[in-house]
Amino acid sequence: MKDLFDYVEFGDLKLNSRIVRTGLWESEREKTGNFTPEIYNRYENIAASGVGLIISEVYSLYPRDVFSKYTSTINYKQFVREARDLTDLVHVYDVPIFAQLGFVQYNKRTEQNMRVEDISIDDIRKIQTDIIIAAQKFEYGGFDGIQLGLGNYYFLARFINPNFNTRTDKYGGSTLNRLRMVLEIIKVIKENTNLHINCRLNAFDGTNMGMSIDETIEICKLLEKHGVDSLQITRPRSPQFFTQENQEKNPLIEATNQIIKNVSIPVILGGGANSQNQINEILNETDIDFISMQRPFVKDPSFLVDWQIEGDGVSQCITCNNCYWKKTSTCHIRSCSLKP
């Protein structure tokens, strides 16, 4: 029988449990980008809780991106030093930590939010260079890995999606061509760093002529072949789907299970679970070994401590989504406990 608190291997890493904490917004940083005591305290509480792996809040690649107003960035002078302090603190608890990197918009001078088909080869080279430099900063900052944002509606998710990518050059057309930009990035990161590379991508996107689970499986195989160490499976507008009112069966469970059967690297189920019994049921009724959680850690960074004691814990998060809509890393509902 698998249990969420099993001590397990995750590729070349050792995890204290099967729970992966994935961050979203970093609202508690200073306007300059610097980390605050609240950030260090939050990460220490998460690391000490019994979590297996921490994936940071998204680091915005570009300062004028839609993310840059309410999350962290790598573009300030003290980033590497402060990141090293943060990762050292997490490592005290023998917990690995990945830096999540993503961007939604590509802007060039007066051209804003450029379409995939309108960016030039020089633009592609600039994006690749910027991501590779960011990866090197993450390694200097002590992170164990990098998570590349290929899911939701991030720019790279659109780039690999046939519904958005109508290019006719070597970066458009076939699945391999649409993924070529990412594969070239992965090759250079693997050759120049020791980072574990995780890719977060959509199982499907629900649009006409968009990504299907079959093509996602093909993409996963290509990512593994070209050096990716692990995957996290998500869907567009994931927080809006996983609400208390939505009683629909989580479609990511079956999709993730299908992907696992086609690759040999670790695959994380991204979201949808909020209780200890539910997670253990998923672990033991499928091939899934790792489950990501985000909003429960916003409500209580230390909730896994109680779960280990109680044995049948339930998240106190009521999935109101205020932390998502208000773009913060803090809970806005004071009394959202499910306990009497």
Side-chain angles (χ1 to χ4, degrees):
M1 293 284 289
K2 291 187 287 187
D3 184 81
L4 69 91
F5 289 112
D6 289 337
Y7 183 73
V8 289
E9 293 184 355
F10 186 85
D12 56 349
L13 300 172
K14 307 290 186 182
L15 307 189
N16 295 324
S17 75
R18 300 179 185 272
I19 299 299
V20 177
R21 179 272 193 177
T22 301
L24 190 56
W25 318 119
E26 186 54 275
S27 62
E28 292 182 317
R29 86 287 189 261
E30 295 179 355
K31 289 184 178 180
T32 56
N34 298 79
F35 294 170
T36 58
E38 289 79 10
I39 293 175
Y40 291 110
N41 289 338
R42 171 157 42 87
Y43 271 84
E44 182 170 20
N45 286 331
I46 295 171
S49 71
V51 73
L53 168 66
I54 293 175
I55 300 176
S56 75
E57 278 80 11
V58 63
Y59 288 105
S60 182
L61 185 63
Y62 294 120
R64 289 190 297 154
D65 186 40
V66 65
F67 284 158
S68 60
K69 294 180 181 179
Y70 38 78
T71 195
S72 288
T73 177
I74 60 172
N75 300 305
Y76 67 96
K77 291 181 180 179
Q78 295 178 307
F79 172 77
V80 171
R81 180 182 63 78
E82 293 187 341
R84 173 64 72 170
D85 291 339
L86 183 69
T87 57
D88 284 349
L89 183 62
V90 169
H91 289 153
V92 167
Y93 299 91
D94 295 323
V95 175
I97 178 170
F98 295 173
Q100 180 187 170
L101 184 69
F103 67 108
V104 175
Q105 300 174 340
Y106 181 69
N107 305 313
K108 183 171 65 174
R109 295 183 291 276
T110 59
E111 299 177 81
Q112 302 293 300
N113 198 15
M114 296 177 66
R115 298 182 303 172
V116 171
E117 59 265 34
D118 292 335
I119 68 171
S120 67
I121 297 297
D122 286 343
D123 294 327
I124 289 175
R125 296 292 175 260
K126 180 181 186 326
I127 292 170
Q128 290 175 320
T129 300
D130 291 340
I131 292 175
I132 291 163
I133 291 173
Q136 292 174 321
K137 286 186 177 181
F138 291 147
E139 185 172 47
Y140 296 151
F143 287 96
D144 302 283
I146 180 174
Q147 182 180 81
L148 295 176
L150 311 184
N152 306 112
Y153 283 122
Y154 288 10
F155 182 84
L156 293 180
R158 300 199 304 276
F159 201 98
I160 67 178
N161 190 316
N163 195 42
F164 296 94
N165 185 338
T166 60
R167 300 176 68 96
T168 57
D169 60 4
K170 68 177 183 179
Y171 291 100
S174 69
T175 302
L176 177 61
N177 280 357
R178 283 182 276 112
L179 195 60
R180 187 184 304 276
M181 177 182 178
V182 174
L183 298 181
E184 291 172 346
I185 293 169
I186 290 166
K187 182 177 186 296
V188 177
I189 293 176
K190 294 296 289 188
E191 290 176 349
N192 292 277
T193 76
N194 292 314
L195 292 172
H196 179 116
I197 299 179
N198 173 276
C199 288
R200 184 179 184 182
L201 70 160
N202 296 327
F204 42 77
D205 63 16
T207 63
N208 293 330
M209 304 299 293
M211 296 288 296
S212 67
I213 183 59
D214 291 336
E215 185 166 27
T216 297
I217 289 172
E218 183 180 354
I219 287 174
C220 291
K221 290 179 179 179
L222 287 168
L223 290 171
E224 179 184 19
K225 179 180 178 181
H226 287 81
V228 167
D229 299 294
S230 64
L231 303 165
Q232 182 172 345
I233 308 304
T234 187
R235 58 172 291 156
R237 298 188 175 94
S238 178
Q240 299 174 48
F241 179 83
F242 294 122
T243 62
Q244 196 173 44
E245 294 77 17
N246 189 351
Q247 300 300 315
E248 181 183 339
K249 182 179 179 181
N250 182 357
L252 289 184
I253 295 176
E254 177 58 30
T256 302
N257 214 39
Q258 289 185 54
I259 291 168
I260 289 170
K261 294 180 185 299
N262 285 275
V263 298
S264 58
I265 55 179
V267 181
I268 304 165
L269 169 64
N274 63 2
S275 76
Q276 195 165 353
N277 290 335
Q278 180 187 19
I279 290 172
N280 281 330
E281 182 177 317
I282 293 171
L283 291 173
N284 286 287
E285 293 185 358
T286 70
D287 293 321
I288 294 169
D289 289 326
F290 307 97
I291 294 181
S292 172
M293 306 179 79
Q294 187 262 326
R295 289 171 295 179
F297 283 103
V298 175
K299 171 56 186 170
D300 180 4
S302 301
F303 75 93
L304 288 178
V305 174
D306 293 332
W307 282 24
Q308 292 185 69
I309 296 171
E310 296 169 0
D312 60 350
V314 177
S315 170
Q316 295 183 28
C317 172
I318 63 170
T319 60
C320 64
N321 268 345
N322 275 322
C323 60
Y324 175 77
W325 294 117
K326 296 180 183 297
K327 304 295 189 292
T328 70
S329 50
T330 55
C331 183
H332 295 266
I333 306 299
R334 291 181 178 271
S335 58
C336 65
S337 174
L338 297 178
K339 301 176 182 179

